[in-house]
Amino acid sequence: MADIFDLFKQIQKKPEEVKPITHLVVGLGNPGAQYRHTRHNAGFAFIDYLCETYGVHADRARFSSLCGEAAVGEARVLLMRPQTMMNLSGKAVAEAAGFYHIPTENIIVVFDDVSLDVGRLRVRRKGTHGGHNGIRSIIECLGSDAFPRIKVGVGQKPHPDYDLAAWVLGDLSAEERKQIWETFRRAEKGLCRMLGGDVEGAMQICNAAEGERA
């Protein structure tokens, strides 16, 4: 009889309350296999890294993106890879932010930066688009540039006359991909600080090269 009572208690237990989504983590890139290893898809690669690290998938079609959810520290985040092509990324970000009522400061964007050497990172609390079309679109759609971001270095053009579009849409070498993947360990640690509201701490982790940090 005791077993029956225990069964009833288990049935009556309320399911664990799932925490609401508090942050968006958006990796920028272009959809399609032909763009997978390009410099412009460093943001997508970081989402891949987070999925592997946290044992989740970001393959659910929502908000014009492929999405997944992960518990990172005390935050519950929506991982996003916008599928709109790079220059329309803001549409996807604004749609998800509006649905979950996410404030701009809780939207963390990860993207490629051609002004940084391969594997270098730079965290910023806010700022202009700096010529990056994905960031330009997000600023336009949110009506604000006050979202934190993690820039992933993909290397500068080999010479000033080299076409920028051709450079960012060119493939990284296998060695460069490995180098960037390895630096994602620090980017993930910085992200954890940012999710806790400590952007300054994230800067200390990410902004100096590996050998330059105290």
Side-chain angles (χ1 to χ4, degrees), residues 38 92 204:
T38 62
Q204 292 177 13

Side-chain angles (χ1 to χ4, degrees), residues 3 53 79 105 120 138 151 169 189 207:
D3 291 341
T53 300
L79 306 175
E105 62 270 21
R120 289 293 298 264
I138 294 172
K151 301 179 180 185
L169 294 178
K189 289 182 178 179
N207 288 8

Side-chain angles (χ1 to χ4, degrees), residues 124-142:
R124 289 288 181 264
R125 188 182 299 276
K126 60 180 180 178
T128 63
H129 56 74
H132 193 286
N133 287 331
I135 299 299
R136 186 198 309 270
S137 175
I138 294 172
I139 291 172
E140 289 176 353
C141 290
L142 294 179

Side-chain angles (χ1 to χ4, degrees), residues 89-101:
S89 300
K91 173 182 180 294
V93 176
E95 188 178 348
F99 182 86
Y100 287 111
H101 306 290

Side-chain angles (χ1 to χ4, degrees), residues 33-80:
Q34 69 271 34
Y35 297 111
R36 181 179 179 188
H37 296 308
T38 62
R39 293 175 180 83
H40 230 13
N41 274 39
F44 275 17
F46 183 61
I47 297 297
D48 291 341
Y49 179 89
L50 293 178
C51 287
E52 184 175 301
T53 300
Y54 289 94
V56 299
H57 298 281
D59 54 8
R60 184 181 176 191
R62 298 187 71 192
F63 312 119
S64 304
S65 304
L66 292 178
C67 300
E69 296 180 15
V72 184
E74 296 298 315
R76 187 163 185 83
V77 306
L78 184 73
L79 306 175
M80 298 180 64

Side-chain angles (χ1 to χ4, degrees), residues 37 118 171-182:
H37 296 308
V118 173
D171 283 353
L172 292 157
S173 69
E175 181 59 34
E176 287 172 329
R177 294 200 302 271
K178 179 182 177 183
Q179 192 174 351
I180 287 173
W181 190 264
E182 289 173 351

